[in-house]
Amino acid sequence: MNAPAPDLPMTVPAEGLPARVRIHEVGARDGLQNEKAIVPAVVKAEFIRRLAGTGLTTIEATSFVHPKWVPQLADAEELFLAVADLPVSLPVLVPNERGLDRALALGARRVAVFASATESFARANLNRTVDEALAMFEPVVSRAKAEGVHVRGYLSMCFGDPWEGAVPVPQVVRVCRALLDMGCDELSLGDTIGVATPGHVTALLAALTGAGVPVSALGVHFHDTYGQALSNTLAALQRGVTTVDASAGGLGGCPYAKSATGNLATEDLVWMLRGLGIDTGIDLGRLVATSVWMAAHLGRPSPSRTVRALSHQEQ
Amino acid sequence: MNAPAPDLPMTVPAEGLPARVRIHEVGARDGLQNEKAIVPAVVKAEFIRRLAGTGLTTIEATSFVHPKWVPQLADAEELFLAVADLPVSLPVLVPNERGLDRALALGARRVAVFASATESFARANLNRTVDEALAMFEPVVSRAKAEGVHVRGYLSMCFGDPWEGAVPVPQVVRVCRALLDMGCDELSLGDTIGVATPGHVTALLAALTGAGVPVSALGVHFHDTYGQALSNTLAALQRGVTTVDASAGGLGGCPYAKSATGNLATEDLVWMLRGLGIDTGIDLGRLVATSVWMAAHLGRPSPSRTVRALSHQEQ
């Protein structure tokens, strides 16, 4: 059987979906951070450079956490400087004021804080209560805003939590409101353990917009642990969401959950969006080639089905 | 990180979806037929028996094609007799009148014919034109109906074709109409190479219902080659489809396409349906255990993400 004809996927738009989606690429940070292997900074920089060459416009670069927490991120300064010339947005994570200082010193124009919707994960990830973590972020966000820097607020465990089970929607709405009220420009609603299904996604988005949050301030961040990431994304698009987090090649996962097999693969998302006629500006062939190149560095095949299907055909 | 709490996935229904979905389980036939290894009939029978124990009500058992075409199916009679006592529907494939004779002689009450929406695949799979294949099926369907037997019509390549590219919707509607007009009780719309996206699914279903086909006569059969199967299923549910084909553990694929990595995994589908509050009557834990058992026989892990996530946690 020959390779698919070049007009695949067929483009057949669906009603009620946005005309354009911005993909927030997290593979270089969220993805590589959760790999066992330490990837050299020069390889990370080349990965980001290749990702920028695919047409991606927002590529999360690194995280200014203390190296003793995450050894994979000890090269944050070196890496950021190596890619700072690229004509794309390069958000970086900052856990606290010290991290913000480091990011601002390098000229970062977009930063992100990372909160939790549940007490259990706030304790596990940040060793704080939810409100203590919010209090820690408040001066980070206000200083960043005073510097004219764009701030994203990540919110983990928005749907299910491995210790607490289902996470009540009002609990998530409360933390979202707190992050927006302190000045976050956008939120990323994370299904950290990948358990959400489309009705839950719709319900959370409806509750947030019902509470006055503009949908333009909301991004979604799904994990494919149970194979649900793309159908959840479709449900979010149907509610007007236009910012979707994804990871090239499906890199990454949750370091605390062996079974959290990874983020939504950017290629699988681009395939769907292209089929739906939703503009992303991304060259899928280049993106697949980039993920194949990264997979070779990591010594294992990409978990993205689209990468596997298209790279198989090229062999 | 502990195993997910027992109330996962959370159940949050969505508007406009059916209350109940019937899963047409194809793993034992479509799945094992496409495995390189020849699985002994006794193992296939035990697989079907375990699948029936999970609450699945429709389990495709085998195919009465000539053994020289598909050696994996040379045990069709032996296998069918070994499971005929189970209190579930056991559809079998019949390519022609000789196959129908064999199925009827064993007491089969549900049969299926398999047509193609494209000339290229009709030629590759059946060595006939589309219309020659329909002419071959006509006496099969009319004799089955005269015997009071339920007939399903499989239709391959309903969205994209590896030789022809995009498949025009009117071309698919024409073959669907022909199958229904000759007496098929239900159709299974196949995305054989896994390239469809949700807008295309919606457009085909709208065209079919617009042409007077009741949605209750339509099932969908998606492959996960590009990771699109579950989002396409969601789009089909939103159009009122209540019959979904899936393969336990994600077994199978298209024998003519190396990259066609398999059918939609039943477990991933059940996870989504359970989250949406859509009744399937299936015990997910038992189903995962069955797929883990089968994967051990095949000597490789299940490609289903839900199977991997839940079985990992049990270790």
Side-chain angles (χ1 to χ4, degrees):
Chain A
M1 194 171 266
N2 301 323
D7 62 339
L8 294 174
M10 306 72 67
T11 295
V12 186
E15 279 175 35
L17 298 183
R20 191 171 167 81
V21 160
R22 185 174 60 86
I23 296 179
H24 184 106
E25 170 60 45
V26 301
R29 196 279 307 167
D30 190 2
L32 295 184
Q33 170 182 340
N34 292 311
E35 289 292 328
K36 278 184 207 146
I38 304 273
V39 178
V42 64
V43 174
K44 290 181 189 170
E46 177 64 20
F47 185 40
I48 291 173
R49 206 164 280 280
R50 291 184 186 217
L51 290 171
T54 70
L56 283 160
T57 57
T58 308
I59 305 172
E60 203 165 275
T62 187
S63 176
F64 291 97
V65 301
H66 196 290
K68 91 174 170 200
W69 294 4
V70 188
Q72 287 90 338
L73 297 168
D75 59 3
E77 268 86 1
E78 178 188 357
L79 173 58
F80 190 84
L81 287 173
V83 295
D85 64 302
L86 289 170
V88 297
S89 292
L90 295 164
V92 295
L93 266 59
V94 292
N96 50 32
E97 290 194 85
R98 174 75 190 101
L100 179 66
D101 290 339
R102 293 167 63 199
L104 293 178
L106 295 172
R109 301 306 299 157
R110 293 175 86 107
V111 300
V113 297
F114 37 100
S116 167
T118 66
E119 295 296 341
S120 300
F121 193 69
R123 182 61 58 194
N125 200 37
L126 300 166
N127 198 27
R128 281 170 172 77
T129 67
V130 168
D131 286 336
E132 285 167 0
L134 290 172
M136 175 173 72
F137 296 136
E138 204 287 328
V140 177
V141 176
S142 58
R143 274 189 54 210
K145 292 313 300 170
E147 300 276 349
V149 165
H150 182 278
V151 182
R152 158 175 265 224
Y154 275 106
L155 193 57
S156 293
M157 304 294 177
C158 288
F159 300 93
D161 176 283
W163 299 277
E164 301 180 19
V167 180
V169 166
Q171 179 177 328
V172 182
V173 172
R174 181 185 81 83
V175 186
C176 285
R177 274 262 55 115
L179 287 166
L180 291 167
D181 289 347
M182 72 173 67
C184 285
D185 297 287
E186 97 182 359
L187 301 180
S188 170
L189 306 169
D191 179 20
T192 314
I193 57 171
V195 296
T197 49
H200 200 162
V201 173
T202 301
L204 177 56
L205 292 170
L208 284 165
T209 52
V213 177
V215 73
S216 59
L218 298 174
V220 289
H221 185 116
F222 293 118
H223 280 231
D224 217 16
T225 320
Y226 297 84
Q228 310 294 309
L230 200 57
S231 47
N232 288 338
T233 301
L234 178 60
L237 297 175
Q238 290 174 337
R239 292 292 306 191
V241 167
T242 59
T243 299
V244 180
D245 295 4
S247 173
L251 290 172
C254 173
Y256 301 101
K258 273 197 295 184
S259 60
T261 45
N263 291 287
L264 171 61
T266 311
E267 290 86 352
D268 297 9
L269 172 62
V270 170
W271 186 280
M272 183 176 83
L273 295 175
R274 197 160 131 179
L276 289 165
I278 297 174
D279 185 22
T280 63
I282 293 168
D283 182 324
L284 182 58
R286 280 194 181 195
L287 184 58
V288 167
T290 299
S291 290
V292 168
W293 172 85
M294 192 69 233
H297 271 280
L298 296 171
R300 59 165 181 68
S302 162
S304 159
R305 302 211 188 250
T306 298
V307 170
R308 280 194 254 165
L310 291 177
S311 59
H312 208 112
Q313 287 159 353
E314 284 163 8
Q315 286 165 5
Chain B
M1 193 171 266
N2 301 323
D7 63 339
L8 295 174
M10 307 71 67
T11 295
V12 186
E15 279 175 35
L17 298 183
R20 191 170 169 80
V21 161
R22 184 174 62 85
I23 296 179
H24 184 106
E25 170 60 45
V26 302
R29 197 278 307 169
D30 189 3
L32 295 184
Q33 170 182 342
N34 293 311
E35 288 293 328
K36 278 183 207 147
I38 304 274
V39 177
V42 64
V43 174
K44 290 180 189 170
E46 177 64 19
F47 185 40
I48 292 173
R49 206 163 279 283
R50 291 184 185 216
L51 290 172
T54 69
L56 282 160
T57 57
T58 307
I59 305 173
E60 204 165 275
T62 186
S63 175
F64 290 98
V65 300
H66 196 290
K68 93 175 169 200
W69 294 3
V70 187
Q72 288 89 339
L73 297 169
D75 60 1
E77 268 86 0
E78 177 188 359
L79 174 58
F80 190 84
L81 288 173
V83 295
D85 64 301
L86 289 170
V88 297
S89 293
L90 296 164
V92 296
L93 266 60
V94 292
N96 50 32
E97 290 194 85
R98 174 75 190 103
L100 179 65
D101 290 338
R102 293 166 63 198
L104 292 177
L106 295 173
R109 301 306 300 158
R110 292 176 86 106
V111 300
V113 296
F114 37 99
S116 167
T118 66
E119 295 295 341
S120 301
F121 192 68
R123 181 62 58 194
N125 199 38
L126 300 166
N127 199 27
R128 282 170 171 76
T129 66
V130 167
D131 287 336
E132 285 167 359
L134 290 173
M136 175 174 71
F137 296 137
E138 204 287 327
V140 177
V141 176
S142 58
R143 273 189 54 211
K145 291 313 301 169
E147 299 277 348
V149 166
H150 183 279
V151 182
R152 159 176 265 226
Y154 275 105
L155 193 57
S156 293
M157 305 293 177
C158 288
F159 299 93
D161 175 283
W163 298 278
E164 301 180 19
V167 180
V169 166
Q171 180 176 327
V172 182
V173 172
R174 182 184 81 84
V175 187
C176 285
R177 275 260 54 113
L179 288 166
L180 291 167
D181 289 348
M182 73 174 67
C184 285
D185 297 286
E186 100 183 354
L187 301 180
S188 169
L189 306 170
D191 179 20
T192 315
I193 57 170
V195 296
T197 48
H200 200 162
V201 173
T202 301
L204 176 57
L205 292 170
L208 285 165
T209 52
V213 177
V215 73
S216 59
L218 298 174
V220 289
H221 185 115
F222 293 118
H223 279 231
D224 218 16
T225 321
Y226 297 84
Q228 310 294 310
L230 200 57
S231 47
N232 288 338
T233 301
L234 178 62
L237 298 175
Q238 290 173 336
R239 291 292 306 191
V241 167
T242 59
T243 299
V244 180
D245 296 4
S247 173
L251 290 171
C254 173
Y256 301 103
K258 274 196 294 183
S259 60
T261 45
N263 290 288
L264 171 61
T266 311
E267 290 85 352
D268 298 8
L269 171 62
V270 170
W271 185 280
M272 183 176 81
L273 295 175
R274 196 160 132 181
L276 289 165
I278 297 174
D279 185 21
T280 62
I282 293 168
D283 181 324
L284 182 58
R286 280 193 181 196
L287 184 58
V288 168
T290 298
S291 290
V292 168
W293 172 86
M294 191 70 233
H297 272 278
L298 295 172
R300 60 166 180 67
S302 162
S304 160
R305 301 210 189 251
T306 298
V307 170
R308 280 194 255 165
L310 291 178
S311 59
H312 208 114
Q313 286 159 354
E314 285 162 8
Q315 286 165 5

